[in-house]
Amino acid sequence: MLKNYTNIFIYHIKNNKIFMALNVLSLSIGIAGLIFAILYLNDEKSYNSWNPNKDVVFQSISQVSADNFWSTNVSSFEDYFKTDFKEIESYCYLDLWYAEKILLSGNKKGIFKVIDAQKTFFEMFPFHFIKGSQKTALRDKTCIVISKKTALNLFGTVDVLDKTITFLDKKLIVTGVYTVPGKSSLAPEAVVNLIDERTPTEKDNWGNFNYGLLLKLKNPADAPKVKAKMENLLYQNRTVKWAKQEGLTIKEWQKKNGVEKMKIFLEPLRDARLHSIVDGYAEGKGNYQSLMIMMSLSVLILILSLFNYINLATANAIKRAKEVGVRKIVGASKRDIVLQFLFETTIITSFAILLSLVIVELSLPFYNNFLEKDLSMSGQYFFYELIIIFVITVVIAGIFPAVYISNFETLKVLKGNFGRSKNGIWLRNGILVLQFSIAFFFIIGSYIVYEQVQFLNQRDIGFKGEQVLEIRYKKPFFDNNDKTADQKLYKRYETLRQEILKINGVAQVSTGAFSLSGGGSTSSTFNYKDKVIQGQNMAVDYGMLEMIKIKLIDGRYFSNQIASDSIDAMLINETALKLMNEKNPIGKMVKWNEHQLKIVGVVKDFNLWGPKANIPPMVFFHLKTIDWMNYNVNHIYVKVKPDNIPNTIAALEKFWQKNIDSDYPFHYDFVDKAYARHYKEYVNQKNLFSLLNVIVILIALFGLFALASYSIQSRMKEIAIRKTLGAETHILLKELSKQYIILCLTGFLIALFPVYYLLNKWLEDFVFRITISIYPFVIGFVVLLSLTLIVVLSRAFQATKVDVLQYLKYE
């Protein structure tokens, strides 16, 4: 039986080479697209999947206002955890972000990603220890635990227990060596336990949210109880206590400070990568929306490929109807017919999957570059998923056409009447309409995405970063107990600024306690009259705002000629002014924490946080006004003259290595290019949509070409008769293409609402967005209709030029 099926299949391949190739190619493209999406999904879902504690370890997230969620916490909970939280098995205060620090061993040194955490860190992230004990490795401040890679870099071996590493001028003993078993939200190259020296100094301060906090619960179902207890502690020790100190009722204090009862969110580690409400771990947060978009588009393309296959299979039934009729006459059952066509579909699908794997393997380097990942066709579940794709494809693409064909009426097909079957025509036309709808979705969608990205790229962001270098600045280490450390930091920066200005090609030098490519680092409330506003703290040096051309709409900038500007002066942005509801803000006094500051200027709104972020209220003051803000200065900004930028940068690097930091590499970026990376995700989405758009159109045209060929072939006698009766070529072309114009228009109408609704939902995430106009729809319709007519008319024109006698000689 299989031999008979194989012989028939080979016979049809020989007689339908082009259509068989189109079938395999369109299916393979659809499957390849889904494989790409699955590889991306597997990689994102693999984060923390190795961790046996992913369901019982929770990250504490603080909601400090309606729109502000912080991954940091107060350290004041610690004493209460020890006595009042029976639900907690252990807790860990830590720095959630890597500190890229120098580790030194003998004459070998390197820059490594270091995390400072309490001794329970390895209870939360039980990495595989190849040397030392997981339970005792991080026992106190004298210990350092390093990764296998770090050990090999510093010592050339993993047998490094009890050896010494210098970190921040401290001699630490290596007490463990580990490897990270898989993708992890935290994957440091070294872990130290110095944080216990910092947290006790803030145990009575319920206003400093400085530390990450991980909680390991005995029972994850107790998370709501723990959350409620933590919120109550914040309420009692902040709201109640501070209201009493100010002589206010709780409601009066809440109204005055604009703070209702603070909330805590406990997020399990399993949700950290894709479903967290904050970007709260060093390895970053995955983009769930992009992942879902990619998966959805890939599934749509596969559906389009399957539609193509089904359409071609049912169209090909016109040629194979008599074959089916003869097989039934000689005794074949419906089951035999179904099995035969399933066998053929299985072989075609096998070829398609093999070709799709070749496509994926060849394209994977470009795909990895596009996603900035290192994906490969491997993994625990990948081959099982491939089998599932194979089975689903065979079932959908094979069973429906097989059952459809097996139901042919023997007498009708042997008389040659099936070609005029309305059921067959309606089925193929219905599938073609759906193909047109999917193609319209991609064409219109890609145009709208392109318009939005162009709008973001061309929109005025409120500052100018041309010729301004953002240079990473490693501050010197100061003891936390040094009360004059912040003043020393500013003095060192001021000395460096004067020296950098002497370099040939440097026009201006300034700094701020924020990043022009990442936004501000601290937020505080300030009071004006009866209003409390949560503002972003933007400490700056003289000339910083002018250097990046932030526009002034009222008042003046800070001036080093006015002594009070570094004592009690401040500027605000337009958003803050609107919330203050003050028409004449210049000279008005604002209470910022314990400081009384005078507004001397108002600047135009500008955006540092990317296209999906609202511009927050901003307050600007000089670095000397709020001394502790000097700890947040991590970049120095240098504006260079345009005439000889390469030489200027080379001179800056030489100066940096000699006078500022010889251990760390000179790292700089142009501000405008660094900020543009905010939009990289959306540029990628635009490029992805454009690429998929081309693929979808090709698949749709493959199917249209084959279907038009079959349809026109079935009407050759009609064409021959019309020509014999004197029909002109343009009349024949009109008749042959008319139905496809109607099908194209129907597909367009079906696609209108879904494409408008889904793209409008995508645009809702943007603070600054375009309004969807009629042009993408008109352009989409014209483009696809034109391509449809090109394909159909080319096939129809060939049909009108054939010898009519060969189709009439049997009549």
Side-chain angles (χ1 to χ4, degrees):
M1 183 175 67
L2 287 177
K3 183 179 180 181
N4 184 32
Y5 289 170
T6 304
N7 290 335
I8 294 172
F9 178 67
I10 292 172
Y11 170 79
H12 284 291
I13 287 178
K14 289 179 179 178
N15 287 277
N16 298 280
K17 296 184 184 70
I18 294 177
F19 301 126
M20 188 64 69
L22 291 178
N23 242 339
V24 171
L25 183 59
S26 65
L27 261 184
S28 63
I29 292 173
I31 293 170
L34 188 56
I35 289 174
F36 278 127
I38 285 173
L39 291 176
Y40 180 23
L41 176 65
N42 288 347
D43 183 76
E44 291 294 303
K45 291 181 70 175
S46 69
Y47 275 83
N48 305 311
S49 61
W50 60 271
N51 194 328
N53 298 325
K54 61 182 177 293
D55 293 317
V56 295
V57 170
F58 291 77
Q59 182 181 35
S60 176
I61 296 169
S62 308
Q63 183 180 5
V64 296
S65 69
D67 300 319
N68 282 288
F69 295 83
W70 294 350
S71 59
T72 50
N73 299 258
V74 296
S75 63
S76 311
F77 289 125
E78 187 164 15
D79 288 339
Y80 294 92
F81 288 153
K82 296 173 182 177
T83 56
D84 299 339
F85 286 77
K86 296 180 180 178
E87 302 87 354
I88 294 178
E89 181 178 325
S90 60
Y91 63 89
C92 180
Y93 278 103
L94 73 163
D95 292 333
L96 290 167
W97 307 103
Y98 302 136
E100 294 187 354
K101 299 293 184 181
I102 293 173
L103 298 183
L104 176 66
S105 174
N107 59 353
K108 286 191 176 182
K109 64 180 178 180
I111 300 172
F112 299 93
K113 297 174 182 176
V114 183
I115 275 185
D116 189 3
Q118 292 182 317
K119 62 183 180 181
T120 51
F121 175 79
F122 293 110
E123 291 185 36
M124 314 297 168
F125 289 87
F127 299 153
H128 174 63
F129 270 65
I130 55 178
K131 296 292 178 181
S133 169
Q134 183 188 106
K135 294 181 179 180
T136 60
L138 208 60
R139 58 183 177 268
D140 56 40
K141 64 181 181 180
T142 65
C143 304
I144 183 169
V145 186
I146 59 177
S147 69
K148 179 181 178 181
K149 177 184 174 183
T150 305
L152 293 174
N153 284 339
L154 288 178
F155 300 100
T157 176
V158 295
D159 294 317
V160 295
L161 292 185
D162 298 326
K163 292 190 177 182
T164 302
I165 289 178
T166 302
F167 171 71
L168 296 178
D169 298 326
K170 298 177 183 289
K171 301 288 185 180
L172 303 179
I173 305 301
V174 178
T175 52
V177 180
Y178 61 82
T179 59
V180 182
K183 293 291 180 70
S184 178
S185 289
L186 291 177
E189 295 170 323
V191 186
V192 298
N193 182 7
L194 304 179
I195 198 168
D196 283 333
E197 294 182 335
R198 291 186 281 149
T199 54
T201 63
E202 300 182 24
K203 280 190 176 179
D204 294 325
N205 192 331
W206 291 84
N208 284 357
F209 292 76
N210 292 332
Y211 305 100
L213 174 60
L214 300 176
L215 303 174
K216 185 177 181 181
L217 304 188
K218 296 174 182 176
N219 183 352
D222 289 333
K225 295 180 184 177
V226 175
K227 161 186 159 69
K229 286 184 179 181
M230 293 174 70
E231 288 176 345
N232 185 58
L233 285 171
L234 285 169
Y235 178 72
Q236 294 298 331
N237 289 280
R238 282 172 56 91
T239 307
V240 175
K241 185 177 178 180
W242 292 356
K244 186 177 180 180
Q245 289 174 352
E246 295 182 35
L248 301 173
T249 66
I250 291 172
K251 287 187 177 180
E252 288 172 340
W253 186 88
Q254 288 177 333
K255 182 179 180 182
K256 177 187 174 185
N257 292 279
V259 179
E260 296 182 2
K261 187 176 181 180
M262 287 190 62
K263 294 182 180 179
I264 294 289
F265 291 87
L266 296 182
E267 283 191 348
L269 188 56
R270 69 168 182 271
D271 294 338
R273 181 68 180 180
L274 291 175
H275 303 291
S276 179
I277 57 177
V278 295
D279 189 1
Y281 289 95
E283 292 296 322
K285 178 185 174 185
N287 191 325
Y288 185 70
Q289 184 194 58
S290 289
L291 179 59
M292 288 299 100
I293 288 174
M294 188 174 290
M295 284 297 298
S296 301
L297 297 182
S298 299
V299 169
L300 265 182
I301 292 176
L302 182 59
I303 289 172
L304 186 67
S305 300
L306 292 173
F307 280 175
N308 243 13
Y309 185 90
I310 293 170
N311 220 350
L312 292 175
T314 53
N316 195 33
I318 296 172
K319 285 187 174 183
R320 301 188 66 175
K322 288 186 178 180
E323 172 199 328
V324 173
V326 171
R327 288 181 66 82
K328 284 190 172 184
I329 289 293
V330 297
S333 64
K334 283 186 179 181
R335 177 177 174 275
D336 295 327
I337 303 297
V338 169
L339 287 176
Q340 177 192 344
F341 282 91
L342 275 178
F343 173 77
E344 293 180 7
T345 303
T346 300
I347 295 176
I348 293 171
T349 303
S350 299
F351 282 134
I353 283 187
L354 289 174
L355 181 57
S356 69
L357 291 174
V358 172
I359 293 171
V360 170
E361 183 64 29
L362 294 175
S363 307
L364 207 50
F366 305 100
Y367 187 64
N368 282 329
N369 185 56
F370 173 74
L371 291 177
E372 296 181 346
K373 285 185 171 290
D374 186 23
L375 307 179
S376 62
M377 286 193 293
S378 60
Q380 183 178 359
Y381 302 109
F382 175 69
F383 292 103
Y384 295 113
E385 290 162 341
L386 205 59
I387 292 170
I388 292 172
I389 292 173
F390 175 79
V391 172
I392 291 174
T393 303
V394 170
V395 169
I396 295 176
I399 287 183
F400 185 81
V403 172
Y404 172 75
I405 293 169
S406 69
N407 283 319
F408 290 171
E409 295 179 27
T410 306
L411 187 59
K412 185 181 289 188
V413 297
L414 289 178
K415 287 182 176 180
N417 294 328
F418 178 75
R420 293 183 288 272
S421 166
K422 289 186 178 180
N423 289 336
I425 293 171
W426 275 103
L427 174 68
R428 292 190 297 278
N429 288 346
I431 291 177
L432 187 58
V433 166
L434 291 176
Q435 287 181 299
F436 277 132
S437 296
I438 294 173
F440 275 122
F441 177 88
F442 276 90
I443 294 173
I444 298 169
S446 63
Y447 190 87
I448 292 173
V449 171
Y450 171 80
E451 279 192 322
Q452 174 65 17
V453 173
Q454 287 297 104
F455 171 77
L456 293 175
N457 286 334
Q458 295 169 4
R459 188 182 63 83
D460 181 13
I461 59 176
F463 68 91
K464 303 292 184 183
E466 296 91 342
Q467 299 164 224
V468 178
L469 301 179
E470 183 177 65
I471 305 175
R472 189 175 297 171
Y473 174 49
K474 294 288 183 181
K475 300 182 293 293
F477 175 74
F478 285 101
D479 193 310
N480 291 327
N481 297 319
D482 186 349
K483 301 298 183 183
T484 62
D486 44 17
Q487 298 170 21
K488 291 177 181 176
L489 282 170
Y490 182 77
K491 187 175 181 181
R492 181 176 189 265
Y493 151 73
E494 180 61 26
T495 302
L496 293 174
R497 189 182 75 84
Q498 295 293 340
E499 293 298 317
I500 294 170
L501 280 170
K502 296 176 183 177
I503 296 174
N504 188 35
V506 171
Q508 289 176 270
V509 182
S510 193
T511 192
F514 52 86
S515 169
L516 289 174
S517 58
S521 57
T522 65
S523 177
S524 303
T525 58
F526 66 92
N527 299 75
Y528 179 70
K529 295 181 179 179
D530 60 341
K531 296 180 176 61
V532 179
I533 300 166
Q534 185 79 31
Q536 196 72 33
N537 302 324
M538 310 292 286
V540 296
D541 189 25
Y542 299 117
M544 181 67 194
L545 301 179
E546 297 94 314
M547 181 168 60
I548 56 176
K549 297 182 180 178
I550 292 174
K551 295 178 182 177
L552 193 69
I553 61 173
D554 198 3
R556 61 178 177 81
Y557 296 109
F558 295 123
S559 171
N560 58 5
Q561 302 300 313
I562 303 174
S564 62
D565 277 8
S566 62
I567 300 172
D568 63 358
M570 72 179 291
L571 284 83
I572 58 175
N573 70 340
E574 290 177 293
T575 300
L577 180 60
K578 289 175 185 175
L579 294 173
M580 290 168 62
N581 195 25
E582 175 60 60
K583 292 182 180 179
N584 301 300
I586 304 303
K588 299 297 190 296
M589 300 301 293
V590 168
K591 183 180 179 182
W592 187 92
N593 288 348
E594 302 304 318
H595 299 265
Q596 292 290 335
L597 303 178
K598 181 174 64 176
I599 298 175
V600 298
V602 180
V603 300
K604 191 174 179 61
D605 279 344
F606 62 96
N607 186 7
L608 300 180
W609 288 269
K612 288 189 177 181
N614 288 302
I615 297 176
M618 297 183 190
V619 294
F620 302 83
F621 34 72
H622 191 266
L623 284 164
K624 292 174 71 175
T625 304
I626 312 296
D627 282 343
W628 60 264
M629 291 295 291
N630 283 281
Y631 283 108
N632 295 327
V633 173
N634 296 309
H635 298 88
I636 292 179
Y637 295 92
V638 178
K639 186 163 187 175
V640 295
K641 297 174 184 177
D643 48 347
N644 200 352
I645 292 177
N647 285 343
T648 304
I649 293 176
L652 276 168
E653 181 173 7
K654 184 178 179 181
F655 172 83
W656 214 267
Q657 293 289 327
K658 182 179 179 180
N659 300 286
I660 298 180
D661 210 327
S662 59
D663 291 321
Y664 288 92
F666 178 69
H667 186 282
Y668 74 93
D669 208 345
F670 284 95
V671 166
D672 52 347
K673 293 180 180 178
Y675 185 81
R677 294 192 188 98
H678 278 305
Y679 299 91
K680 187 174 182 181
E681 171 191 340
Y682 309 105
V683 173
N684 284 347
Q685 287 187 7
K686 179 198 74 173
N687 295 337
L688 174 65
F689 232 124
S690 300
L691 175 62
L692 295 181
N693 187 33
V694 172
I695 292 171
V696 164
I697 291 174
L698 283 176
I699 293 174
L701 293 181
F702 285 167
L704 182 63
F705 174 80
L707 189 61
S709 299
Y710 277 126
S711 177
I712 292 169
Q713 187 67 30
S714 69
R715 298 178 65 181
M716 286 308 297
K717 287 184 181 179
E718 174 192 339
I719 293 169
I721 292 170
R722 283 175 176 268
K723 286 192 69 177
T724 302
L725 295 175
E728 297 288 340
T729 299
H730 71 275
I731 298 296
L732 290 174
L733 293 177
K734 178 182 175 182
E735 287 299 319
L736 290 171
S737 61
K738 182 170 62 176
Q739 73 175 96
Y740 293 100
I741 295 173
I742 294 171
L743 294 176
C744 186
L745 178 61
T746 306
F748 172 72
L749 294 174
I750 290 173
L752 274 179
F753 175 75
V755 72
Y756 179 84
Y757 175 78
L758 292 173
L759 268 296
N760 199 52
K761 290 292 288 183
W762 180 72
L763 288 170
E764 282 178 0
D765 287 338
F766 295 91
V767 176
F768 306 98
R769 52 161 288 182
I770 61 170
T771 300
I772 298 178
S773 66
I774 194 173
Y775 296 110
F777 299 92
V778 173
I779 291 171
F781 180 73
V782 170
V783 167
L784 193 58
L785 181 60
S786 301
L787 292 172
T788 299
L789 289 176
I790 289 171
V791 171
V792 173
L793 290 177
S794 64
R795 298 299 295 155
F797 185 76
Q798 291 176 7
T800 62
K801 297 302 179 183
V802 299
D803 182 5
V804 297
L805 291 179
Q806 72 180 41
Y807 291 99
L808 296 177
K809 60 185 178 181
Y810 296 113
E811 294 294 328

